[in-house]
Amino acid sequence: MTTVKTKIGRRSFIKSSALAGGGMVLGFSWLASCKMSAEEVNQLPKEWFKINGYLRIADNGQVTILSPNPEGGQNVKTSMPMIVADELGVDWKDVIVEQAPLDTAAFTLQFLGGSQSIRRGWEGLRMAGASAKAMLIAAAAQDWQVPSEEISARNGILTHTESDKSASYGEMASAAATMNVPEEVQLKEIKDFTIIGTSQKNVDGHKIVTGKPLFGVDTYKEGMLTAMIVTPPAFGLKLKSIDDSEAKNMPGIQSIFTIKVFNDDYEKAFFDTRTFNEVAVIVGNSTWEVMNAKKALKIDCEPIEGITETRNRFGRKWEEYTPGGLESTAKHYAEMEAIASKKATVKRRDGHPENAFKNAAKVLEATYTAPFLAHNCMEPMNFFADVSDNKALLIGPLQKPELTEQTLSARLGIPIENIEIQMTRLGGGYGRRSYAHWLVEAALISQKMKAPVKLVYSREDDMTNGIYRPSYRATYRAALDANNNLIGFHVKTGGIPQSPLHENRFPAGAVENYLAEDWTIDTNLTVGSFRAPSSNFIACAEQSFLDEVAEATGKDPIDFRLELLERAQHNPVGENNDYEAHRYAGVLKLVKEKSNWSNRDSVARGVAAYFCHNSYAAQVLDLTWENNEPVVQKVTCAIDCGIVVNPDAATNLAEGGIVDGIGNALYGEISFKDGVPDQQNFDTYRMIRMREAPKEIDVHFVESDIHPTGLGEPSFPPIFAALANAMYKATGKRSYKQPFLKERELLG
């Protein structure tokens, strides 16, 4: 076993008053009560004993584990409690899982983003389970007057073999709550896991398929009003005035007014991004009535002026410029082409790349572009708010509740301790619900109305208000010598308004002469995190270009990558390479084996591999070309993400990333004309259909004893390139512009 200090956890433990029946409460802090669901009422135990911030044990042996992080489909609501339960030593069938509310005293960074939930929670979750088990053992040792080290604990039973004594966790729960918190605990060895590494069903699965209320849009409270917003029709405009003469007299309408999301002098934090700071609000009795009034509301707008604001990202401040004007996609691409021909900012230089290209026998060059993308979560933005004079209750789906709470406190003028945020399941996220301006809007509306309100965005509101994946461009060059050896590599990339460059990622460290440069262009279009931010573009460009280079050298695409990784592992160039070459090579070797790579007779096959979010993914995509369209027959995927907590859930997450990536690569695009999005609903914004998903996806995980790393995003970036490379094999034409099918239509 591994012994760890509980210093961090022990600072958070507190003792509180006794429960009915004399049981003591010991927890990280007071949490909202762990209420059992209706179907469990008949088995309700007589009393519960809170052991710590993650779990409570009932007198009948049932265990409730609170899952701290937001659940957005990545299945952490199942996987995080599995980690606690394994160290606690209980049978998974005896575990009840509940979503924890936001509680910054009880939990560390309740956060959905960056594929960090399991990675950041791994040790704390294990420590919570192990600490509780140690306290149960201590209670039994005291009761039986035997040494603690002689007591075993497994499947919810405490046993002392020598005296033939045993007791359930439920029998010892009350006494355990009085035990001192251990200063150190023993964590299991990997080989002793009984729940971690096994496949467990989604704890919300039955509720999801039977339509039980789990999502923010399901929230309903007696007396609740419905609100919607109206914004300027184009980026680059702001509200000047509203004419509500017709709308305010329509059935069910309670009030129409305007609000400012943030005060003019507010220094916005990183996730305080918003599109339109001032919006019109319509409040009524029902969604239908409000939607009808929304159509009747007339607004007058005026152009914005360029503005520079100070932003704050966890203490690091920077200046952000938002220009005026009405922007168009045609102009965007012209601007990117113009700036890409000028000198950019050098981010990394190894060797003498200029000399390598000057003396090269052959130089390859390719330019890749990608449009803005909308998130298009299946559940549009929504939030419930009930704000009184000095108190606020918020219920709904969001990814960064702790950070949002800080923003909300500043805007409402209400102390954080008087704000309660309850998290619902997210009906889609991957960055969109990080920027909770709509939560602030809901709270401000409730505060003004002095009533509980649910704010709901229409699909058009969500799609036209941002927040988008930036638009990107990248030019790659490769220098080959007379023997077709790669002697120089150059990437020059940028975007509107962010650069996708990761200058220290592969193939940095594998090429003697290497140059990475970037640039950016300001915009008033609102951008933010999108699944695997920036990696979702640069992986496609890089891995597509590497295939082109491999072909020019006459080498197999996988073997070519493995040769570069061999150099990076045993004789690396530079010291700042942020990937482990042997793990990178490991997923390529695994996917080569599992896909039977050498068999390429009946299908066109493309390969790609990428490192992001501390994990490695490699994919082989099998494609046929039918009726002038690509048909994805199979995707074989290999992932190294350390220890896999729940294999079935991990497989599902990888599959979701693959389908999502293929859809975005083939169809995804949002374009603009004079600041107005061309696509405003699913009739014009093309999403992947069920029939267009791969007919088979085969996912494999590298067996590992490394602590878990990211998984929500790593399968997403490389699939773009695997698809592009397979399409080239099928048609003889390379794809340089996303979405790929639109590019082919334009080329004819």
Side-chain angles (χ1 to χ4, degrees):
M1 290 191 175
T2 303
T3 301
V4 297
K5 296 285 185 182
T6 58
K7 182 175 66 172
I8 295 175
R10 293 183 74 247
R11 282 206 304 266
S12 299
F13 276 93
I14 58 172
K15 291 184 179 181
S16 300
S17 59
L19 288 170
M24 287 293 294
V25 176
L26 184 67
F28 285 125
S29 73
W30 281 105
L31 295 174
S33 62
C34 296
K35 296 179 181 178
M36 300 184 71
S37 55
E39 55 263 41
E40 293 149 353
V41 168
N42 292 334
Q43 302 176 20
L44 190 68
K46 296 176 182 178
E47 54 184 330
W48 291 83
F49 305 100
K50 184 178 291 185
I51 302 299
N52 59 35
Y54 289 103
L55 59 94
R56 291 163 47 136
I57 299 176
D59 59 355
N60 68 353
Q62 285 184 323
V63 177
T64 289
I65 300 178
L66 277 72
S67 182
N69 285 30
E71 173 58 69
Q74 75 278 44
N75 210 31
V76 294
K77 191 175 176 181
T78 304
S79 299
M80 296 183 95
M82 285 173 63
I83 298 169
V84 179
D86 203 322
E87 289 289 354
L88 177 61
V90 293
D91 194 314
W92 182 247
K93 67 178 176 58
D94 294 327
V95 174
I96 299 166
V97 175
E98 299 287 350
Q99 175 67 59
L102 175 64
D103 191 328
T104 55
F107 304 107
T108 302
L109 198 59
Q110 292 171 268
F111 187 98
L112 191 168
S115 299
Q116 294 295 300
S117 294
I118 299 297
R119 179 172 179 260
R120 285 180 175 269
W122 176 248
E123 185 172 280
L125 292 162
R126 295 180 70 192
M127 195 180 297
S131 297
K133 182 171 71 175
M135 294 160 70
L136 287 160
I137 290 173
Q142 184 181 79
D143 186 53
W144 298 337
Q145 292 298 297
V146 299
S148 294
E149 55 270 21
E150 293 181 4
I151 297 175
S152 64
R154 59 177 59 90
N155 294 328
I157 301 296
L158 299 156
T159 304
H160 184 250
T161 304
E162 287 81 354
S163 63
D164 198 28
K165 291 182 178 180
S166 65
S168 71
Y169 280 8
E171 293 174 90
M172 288 294 170
S174 180
T178 68
M179 295 294 105
N180 291 328
V181 180
E183 293 193 10
E184 59 182 30
V185 293
Q186 289 185 326
L187 301 182
K188 286 184 175 182
E189 299 296 337
I190 295 170
K191 64 180 178 59
D192 296 324
F193 289 153
T194 57
I195 299 175
I196 296 170
T198 66
S199 291
Q200 304 296 335
K201 292 182 179 179
N202 187 324
V203 295
D204 282 342
H206 184 264
K207 293 178 181 178
I208 292 171
V209 299
T210 55
K212 297 293 191 299
L214 284 170
F215 300 91
V217 77
D218 297 325
T219 303
Y220 175 80
K221 301 291 182 181
E222 193 68 33
M224 177 184 79
L225 298 173
T226 297
M228 300 189 80
I229 63 165
V230 179
T231 65
F235 290 87
L237 297 180
K238 62 181 179 180
L239 284 182
K240 183 178 181 181
S241 63
I242 64 173
D243 177 359
D244 63 356
S245 56
E246 180 183 354
K248 69 181 180 182
N249 295 316
M250 295 182 72
I253 300 307
Q254 298 284 331
S255 186
I256 299 175
F257 50 88
T258 63
I259 58 171
K260 281 191 174 182
V261 182
F262 301 116
N263 292 326
D264 292 335
D265 59 351
Y266 176 63
E267 184 178 274
K268 295 192 292 295
F270 183 70
F271 290 108
D272 289 336
T273 299
R274 51 87 187 106
T275 301
F276 300 105
N277 194 49
E278 186 172 21
V279 299
V281 177
I282 303 176
V283 184
N285 296 330
S286 70
T287 304
W288 179 247
E289 290 170 325
V290 172
M291 290 180 73
N292 285 330
K294 184 177 178 180
K295 296 174 184 176
L297 183 69
K298 298 178 177 64
I299 64 173
D300 189 21
C301 299
E302 60 185 350
I304 66 170
E305 297 179 357
I307 184 174
T308 299
E309 298 176 287
T310 300
R311 299 292 300 273
N312 189 328
R313 180 176 184 175
F314 309 122
R316 182 182 67 82
K317 297 185 179 184
W318 79 98
E319 298 295 311
E320 182 177 87
Y321 178 67
T322 302
L326 301 178
E327 302 183 20
S328 298
T329 295
K331 184 181 178 183
H332 286 159
Y333 282 113
E335 288 176 330
M336 287 198 289
E337 185 173 0
I339 197 171
S341 65
K342 300 176 182 177
K343 186 176 181 179
T345 302
V346 175
K347 292 300 182 71
R348 174 165 170 163
R349 183 195 301 273
D350 294 330
H352 303 282
E354 290 83 1
N355 290 342
F357 281 95
K358 181 180 178 180
N359 299 322
K362 182 188 299 183
V363 174
L364 303 178
E365 180 173 325
T367 296
Y368 304 84
T369 61
F372 290 93
L373 293 176
H375 288 84
N376 290 329
C377 305
M378 290 297 101
E379 176 195 25
M381 301 304 104
N382 67 89
F383 230 86
F384 170 85
D386 189 0
V387 180
S388 56
D389 291 340
N390 199 38
K391 188 176 181 181
L393 168 65
L394 287 302
I395 305 173
L398 75 164
Q399 293 182 226
K400 313 292 189 299
E402 181 176 342
L403 304 179
T404 302
E405 183 184 54
Q406 297 166 15
T407 298
L408 196 60
S409 174
R411 183 63 182 91
L412 296 177
I414 294 177
I416 283 182
E417 57 268 23
N418 292 350
I419 296 175
E420 179 184 353
I421 297 180
Q422 297 178 9
M423 293 177 282
T424 62
R425 193 177 182 92
L426 282 68
Y430 283 107
R432 179 63 184 95
R433 298 188 199 273
S434 297
Y435 306 90
H437 53 88
W438 28 273
L439 180 150
V440 179
E441 292 163 4
L444 291 172
I445 296 167
S446 175
Q447 188 179 53
K448 183 174 179 65
M449 295 298 297
K450 302 184 185 306
V453 170
K454 182 164 72 173
L455 173 67
V456 181
Y457 275 29
S458 69
R459 174 63 58 195
E460 290 84 358
D461 292 334
D462 193 20
M463 197 177 295
T464 60
N465 289 349
I467 291 169
Y468 305 119
R469 195 281 303 269
S471 181
Y472 296 119
R473 176 189 171 105
T475 297
Y476 282 85
R477 295 194 302 149
L480 306 181
D481 65 15
N483 296 317
N484 280 334
N485 296 310
L486 179 62
I487 59 173
F489 196 88
H490 177 204
V491 54
K492 187 177 185 181
T493 187
I496 304 175
Q498 299 168 356
S499 166
L501 181 65
H502 295 277
E503 63 270 18
N504 295 321
R505 290 187 185 170
F506 180 77
V511 184
E512 194 68 36
N513 304 293
Y514 174 86
L515 178 63
E517 306 174 277
D518 72 355
W519 46 266
T520 58
I521 296 173
D522 294 322
T523 183
N524 55 44
L525 304 181
T526 314
V527 303
S529 298
F530 193 94
R531 193 174 196 170
S534 69
S535 295
N536 54 54
F537 165 73
I538 205 69
C540 179
E542 169 205 292
Q543 290 291 308
S544 296
F545 186 64
L546 285 178
D547 247 46
E548 198 163 344
V549 177
E551 183 179 51
T553 64
K555 295 177 180 177
D556 174 88
I558 293 182
D559 292 342
F560 174 69
R561 288 169 172 81
L562 290 174
E563 286 180 15
L564 292 175
L565 288 165
E566 181 78 10
R567 167 71 192 273
Q569 180 178 352
H570 298 291
N571 187 23
V573 179
E575 298 178 353
N576 296 320
N577 308 320
D578 63 1
Y579 60 94
E580 297 177 74
H582 71 283
R583 294 181 67 193
Y584 207 134
V587 291
L588 275 166
K589 292 174 182 176
L590 183 59
V591 84
K592 183 178 183 179
E593 172 197 342
K594 297 299 183 181
S595 68
N596 192 15
W597 172 249
S598 60
N599 181 19
R600 283 172 272 178
D601 296 332
S602 58
V603 292
R605 313 193 85 182
V607 65
Y610 198 68
F611 160 74
C612 69
H613 298 85
N614 309 102
S615 294
Y616 303 79
Q619 293 155 349
V620 168
L621 184 145
D622 296 350
L623 178 143
T624 56
W625 202 260
E626 303 173 17
N627 300 319
N628 204 32
E629 289 186 350
V631 177
V632 181
Q633 298 293 340
K634 182 178 181 180
V635 175
T636 306
C637 179
I639 297 176
D640 183 348
C641 59
I643 295 168
V644 177
V645 176
N646 188 343
D648 275 3
T651 297
N652 293 340
L653 196 52
E655 291 170 342
I658 288 167
V659 175
D660 193 14
I662 291 171
N664 280 288
L666 291 175
Y667 313 111
E669 177 186 35
I670 193 158
S671 56
F672 303 86
K673 185 174 182 180
D674 295 330
V676 179
D678 295 319
Q679 299 79 20
Q680 302 197 0
N681 207 320
F682 289 137
D683 59 334
T684 49
Y685 193 103
R686 180 76 156 81
M687 303 285 284
I688 190 170
R689 271 67 161 179
M690 291 290 290
R691 64 179 176 80
E692 295 159 343
K695 300 185 184 306
E696 181 182 356
I697 301 177
D698 186 22
V699 180
H700 301 270
F701 295 96
V702 174
E703 291 189 13
S704 175
D705 58 3
I706 297 171
H707 288 184
T709 53
L711 187 54
E713 286 151 296
S715 72
F716 185 64
I719 197 64
F720 287 73
L723 174 62
N725 294 333
M727 288 174 65
Y728 167 69
K729 294 292 180 12
T731 67
K733 295 181 180 179
R734 293 200 177 272
S735 298
Y736 297 107
K737 297 180 180 180
Q738 296 176 30
F740 297 152
L741 290 188
K742 181 179 179 180
E743 178 189 26
R744 290 178 180 273
E745 290 173 5
L746 294 174
L747 292 175

